[in-house]
Amino acid sequence: MTPDGQAIAVLGIPTARVPDRFRPAVPPDPWRGVRESKQGPLAWQAAGPPAGLTMDEEGCLTANVWLPGIPPVHPSPVLIWVHGGAHVAGSNADPLCDGARLAAKYGVIVVAIAYRLGAFGHLRLDHLLGEEYADAGNLALRDVVAGVAWVRDEIAGFGGDPRRITVMGQSAGGAIVATLLAECGGDGLFQRVIIGSATAERTHTLDQAAEVTTELLSDLGGGADPRAVLRAPPGVLIAAQQRVVSRWQLRRSGPATPFRPIVDGRFVHGRPVDRIAAGAGSSVDAIIGTVRNEASAHVDLLRLDDREATSALRAALRDDGRDGDLDSYLAACRRDDGAPLTPAEALESYITDREYRGPMLRLIEARLAARARTYAYLFAWNRADTGAWARRAGHSLELPFVFRHLEDSDQAREQVGAEAPIALRDLMSAAWATFAGSGRPDDDGECRWPMFQDARETIVFDRINRLANDPFAARRRWLAKPPR
């Protein structure tokens, strides 16, 4: 029983099996009789599993399914959740993304799927170990496809409608969904997508991926022997992977993602944003958006010294070929916001523009060029500052609103604070569920949400919701200008 009614949880269902390290998944082993419903093992990662859970290579590809407790008369729409975590962390066990309350409240079926992370899911090896490892670079993507295909093939047995499947991802999960949209969007595997706080531009070329492999091998201590990655215990491989991530983090402000989708010509055939602009996935309806302060986890808005913040912003601009553009960027922010930003706020804004807001807008514009149906959003509700952290509308803050977990656990209250608006939760979760059912987020009449078209129509989710045409217009125009 949830605060929203009855739901049934069927946890830890194998969607595929990993036969060997760095090999594509195969169908799961069958079983007879009754299987216990419990969270499956997690993919290997540095963060480690929550208490009571384990990590495993072979058995990490599972699905958690939440069903409405009262079966609907007609087959239910299906929402598949692909978690984020910078491609190296996360799982389908996050309690703030538990689908029980969505299922109970709106009669949708929610499925959270798992995939291999980090080097286990994105490591180029064919140039060192031969064609039998040609798929190693995009195993995470293939795992997600296997999970979605399992849902398509099996969900009718749970009362779901395989013709109404929405694949939803946020952060790294959103980047994966954007890649699937570009590569599988016309295959009938799914009909709708929701992409949050992600990018459709984060890919490696084969050469760039080979450099990451070289760096990882060096950290493994395997010398010139590439087969060290095959022999290393999982924990040793993860430790080497984290050293690679840490060095990447030092090179550039914002998220560090050395392990990411690779344009390999086998599964990924180009940058997703370019393929989408050319029409890939244009038959698939989409909700796409960001939160206002995506980079607040990377910038201390409370304690960062003004001089240090300005210096960091100048360095970031210089790294991006925009040396000398500081004043014009600050002016653009002032035009958008109606007031000047502090140096720390300006640094956070620029990292957000570079890593999230700009790429997401280019993805939406690519969809517009392809005449695809897209609904754009901006999540702008600010979590109240605390003495430890000024998060504002920070990365991932919208997820407890969508999954309806604001007040039902200590973790939820820690995430959103004590003043999270219940009305905003109800509006967002209803829109997401309605979109999964019909392809339109405003079909239930709870909110007016037009498609993104030439006026750049965007719904702004806040304590008081509103429609805006071209929010952050000045920043958008500034970003569109080529560096000097």
Side-chain angles (χ1 to χ4, degrees):
M1 178 65 73
T2 79
D4 291 310
Q6 293 182 352
I8 299 169
V10 186
L11 308 179
I13 307 172
T15 58
R17 178 175 60 83
V18 178
D20 291 294
R21 184 179 291 180
F22 304 126
R23 297 293 184 88
V26 297
D29 295 331
W31 71 88
R32 293 181 179 274
V34 178
R35 186 183 183 99
E36 183 181 3
S37 171
K38 66 176 182 178
Q39 175 65 45
L42 275 54
W44 272 92
Q45 56 191 281
L53 299 181
T54 60
M55 295 186 292
D56 183 60
E57 280 195 75
E58 180 180 346
C60 65
L61 304 181
T62 65
N64 294 334
V65 182
W66 293 275
L67 314 169
I70 301 175
V73 175
H74 302 291
S76 297
V78 183
L79 181 64
I80 300 176
W81 168 240
V82 183
H83 70 80
H87 302 287
V88 295
S91 76
N92 60 357
D94 184 348
L96 296 186
C97 297
D98 177 294
R101 294 190 64 172
L102 268 180
K105 179 70 173 179
Y106 301 110
V108 299
I109 293 177
V110 183
V111 185
I113 59 177
Y115 56 95
R116 280 171 279 185
L117 301 169
F120 293 99
H122 285 299
L123 189 68
R124 186 186 177 197
L125 290 172
D126 60 298
H127 63 304
L128 299 175
L129 300 180
E131 279 298 303
E132 62 181 311
Y133 291 98
D135 293 320
N138 285 316
L139 289 173
L141 300 174
R142 293 178 179 273
D143 291 346
V144 173
V145 169
V148 177
W150 179 88
V151 172
R152 177 199 60 196
D153 296 341
E154 303 292 341
I155 204 64
F158 295 86
D161 187 348
R163 298 166 300 179
R164 289 191 293 168
I165 292 177
T166 300
V167 185
M168 169 182 166
Q170 182 265 353
S171 195
I176 288 175
V177 174
T179 308
L180 264 58
L181 179 64
E183 298 294 341
C184 314
D187 297 345
L189 189 61
F190 49 86
Q191 290 70 47
R192 294 157 197 140
V193 296
I194 301 174
I195 301 172
S197 303
T199 170
E201 302 170 10
R202 182 193 293 160
T203 57
H204 276 324
T205 65
L206 286 171
D207 288 345
Q208 290 168 332
E211 292 174 2
V212 174
T213 304
T214 298
E215 190 173 356
L216 181 71
L217 282 169
S218 176
D219 273 286
L220 266 179
D225 182 6
R227 293 192 172 271
V229 296
L230 304 179
R231 298 189 298 264
V236 172
L237 189 57
I238 287 294
Q241 167 188 300
Q242 287 309 109
R243 290 191 288 273
V244 174
V245 172
S246 295
R247 282 195 298 274
W248 274 58
Q249 190 69 70
L250 293 174
R251 299 172 193 167
R252 185 178 176 91
S253 53
T257 55
F259 302 95
R260 59 175 69 176
I262 300 168
V263 181
D264 60 357
R266 294 172 62 87
F267 188 92
V268 181
H269 296 85
R271 284 201 321 164
V273 68
D274 298 330
R275 290 177 58 79
I276 289 167
S282 58
S283 63
V284 176
D285 297 332
I287 290 176
I288 300 174
T290 60
V291 303
R292 182 183 177 99
N293 303 109
E294 296 278 10
S296 60
H298 300 280
V299 178
D300 189 339
L301 295 172
L302 286 178
R303 288 171 291 272
L304 185 60
D305 177 79
D306 285 356
R307 183 179 300 178
E308 292 180 21
T310 301
S311 177
L313 179 52
R314 288 186 187 279
L317 289 164
R318 184 169 58 250
D319 290 344
D320 295 336
R322 294 183 178 274
D323 197 16
D325 284 352
L326 175 62
D327 290 342
S328 64
Y329 180 71
L330 295 177
C333 294
R334 191 180 305 113
R335 286 195 295 274
D336 282 337
D337 302 339
L341 299 180
T342 68
E345 289 170 339
L347 175 61
E348 186 277 322
S349 175
Y350 181 68
I351 298 172
T352 292
D353 278 324
R354 185 184 68 192
E355 302 291 339
Y356 298 99
R357 198 152 47 218
M360 288 295 275
L361 181 57
R362 290 189 288 272
L363 171 58
I364 296 171
E365 290 173 336
R367 295 266 303 171
L368 180 62
R371 299 184 179 180
R373 291 168 55 91
T374 306
Y375 298 88
Y377 73 88
L378 168 67
F379 182 87
W381 178 76
N382 283 337
R383 185 194 191 283
D385 291 352
T386 69
W389 189 17
R391 184 176 186 185
R392 313 282 165 83
H395 192 64
S396 304
L397 187 62
E398 82 281 19
L399 295 180
F401 288 83
V402 171
F403 285 97
R404 301 183 61 79
H405 295 296
L406 299 187
E407 78 298 339
D408 52 9
S409 69
D410 290 342
Q411 185 174 352
R413 287 184 286 271
E414 173 66 22
Q415 184 82 346
V416 302
E419 303 297 328
I422 298 299
L424 179 57
R425 177 204 67 185
D426 291 344
L427 183 71
M428 291 188 69
S429 61
W432 265 237
T434 300
F435 178 77
S438 69
R440 289 192 52 169
D442 57 356
D443 246 8
D444 63 353
E446 290 298 317
C447 67
R448 179 172 170 265
W449 189 347
M451 279 194 303
F452 185 94
Q453 298 187 78
D454 291 339
R456 302 176 182 274
E457 297 88 340
T458 303
I459 191 169
V460 179
F461 289 115
D462 205 336
R463 190 172 293 275
I464 298 175
N465 304 290
R466 61 188 175 88
L467 283 174
N469 291 339
D470 201 7
F472 302 114
R475 286 175 174 88
R476 175 184 61 79
R477 288 190 290 267
W478 184 92
L479 286 168
K481 293 180 180 179
R484 293 181 182 180

